[in-house]
Amino acid sequence: MAGQSALRVVWIYPDLLSTYGDQGNALIMAYRARLRGHEVERVDVRSDQPIPAQGDVYLIGGGEDRPQRLAAERLLKDDGLARGLEAGGAALAVCAGFQLFGHSFYDDEKGTQPGLGLLDVTSVRGTVRCVGEVTAEVDEALTVGGRPLPRLTGFENHMGTTQVGPGARPLARVRSGNGNGAGSGVDGAHQGRIVGTYLHGPVLARNPALADLILGWVDGNPAPTPAEDLWHDRLRAERLAAVGG
Ligand code: GLN
């Protein structure tokens, strides 16, 4: 974001991909960026509009198979996201968005579909629907203020299962729920400045440290966001208690 006046949060295709409150990720990202002293410009990009290459943080959410396929088809014809990431932008991709950031994913009507290849992950059709609460311990390689991130809490609902290749690392070790698939033991992936996860909730409302991690990449300040309201701690405590911690 060097030389730019506002931190630009780009929400990709809210008309196609936004389930289980994913819009909250845009709200929390913008809110915490402001707490860090940034002016924020939030840009919601509908699926018939071009993706700006000047984004600082790109957000993409979850969705059913059909809108997911349509989103992938459109994004494959638009290099704005890839250029934005090459220029130092960061991204959070949730569920369908996570799958389509990978090499390929499965559509129930048309089978295997090409993804964007931004993350070294591949998704296929699972045998059971993964639905319910998830808790997971974040990869210790990721830190905010020099400390590991608190346990993740979120909600998942997907048929796809995802394999993480050697170019990426799993985002977290699953304690309860499924994440990348029953028995996978992990959720999501991270690679460079991209974080992918199956967690809705919205994930940033339940895990604001994840927003701080991404904002730290973008503004170069690794410290946690100075936040006085701690409502998210109550939300986290309640959701973690619901699955026995
Ligand atoms: N359509 C994908 C699946 O079922 C993603 C679902 C979602 O984003 N909630 O695997």
Side-chain angles (χ1 to χ4, degrees):
M1 57 172 306
Q4 217 171 266
S5 56
L7 190 147
R8 194 169 291 143
V9 176
V10 180
W11 186 21
I12 299 172
Y13 297 174
D15 53 330
L16 292 178
L17 298 176
S18 177
T19 47
Y20 314 116
D22 285 340
Q23 175 175 201
N25 293 330
L27 294 170
I28 299 291
M29 192 64 86
Y31 176 64
R32 293 187 82 83
R34 285 194 188 96
L35 289 178
R36 295 164 84 90
H38 301 294
E39 259 179 60
V40 176
E41 184 187 350
R42 177 172 144 189
V43 186
D44 293 1
V45 184
R46 291 178 56 89
S47 58
D48 59 351
Q49 296 175 324
I51 309 281
Q54 299 80 18
D56 293 298
V57 180
Y58 293 90
L59 303 169
I60 185 165
E64 300 305 318
D65 281 15
R66 225 48 52 76
Q68 175 176 349
R69 190 181 83 216
L70 194 56
E73 284 169 3
R74 293 185 177 184
L75 285 169
L76 279 166
K77 294 186 193 134
D78 183 335
D79 65 355
L81 171 61
R83 287 195 289 135
L85 294 173
E86 263 163 39
L92 172 70
V94 173
C95 203
F98 169 43
Q99 291 181 12
L100 69 78
F101 261 47
H103 301 298
S104 62
F105 62 90
Y106 189 85
D107 172 69
D108 66 350
E109 199 177 57
K110 293 204 169 171
T112 304
Q113 298 292 301
L116 306 180
L118 297 168
L119 277 174
D120 185 14
V121 303
T122 304
S123 301
V124 297
R125 191 85 168 159
T127 49
V128 289
R129 177 162 286 276
C130 298
V131 52
E133 290 289 316
V134 183
T135 58
E137 302 290 354
V138 181
D139 183 355
E140 310 76 44
L142 300 174
T143 57
V144 169
R147 299 170 63 180
L149 277 69
R151 182 174 303 164
L152 295 182
T153 156
F155 170 79
E156 65 180 337
N157 185 0
H158 54 102
M159 273 305 288
T161 67
T162 299
Q163 194 89 43
V164 181
R169 284 170 67 104
L171 175 66
R173 284 188 318 282
V174 166
R175 286 174 55 110
S176 55
N178 299 285
N180 289 355
S184 71
V186 295
D187 174 70
H190 66 98
Q191 180 175 345
R193 293 181 168 190
I194 303 174
V195 172
T197 179
Y198 271 107
L199 302 191
H200 300 274
V203 67
L204 295 186
R206 292 203 197 183
N207 309 280
L210 209 50
D212 291 1
L213 173 76
I214 293 169
L215 288 167
W217 289 337
V218 167
D219 69 12
N221 179 1
T225 298
E228 279 174 17
D229 59 70
L230 296 175
W231 55 265
H232 50 264
D233 283 342
R234 294 208 302 278
L235 173 63
R236 289 178 55 76
E238 191 238 311
R239 296 324 304 160
L240 289 168
V243 291

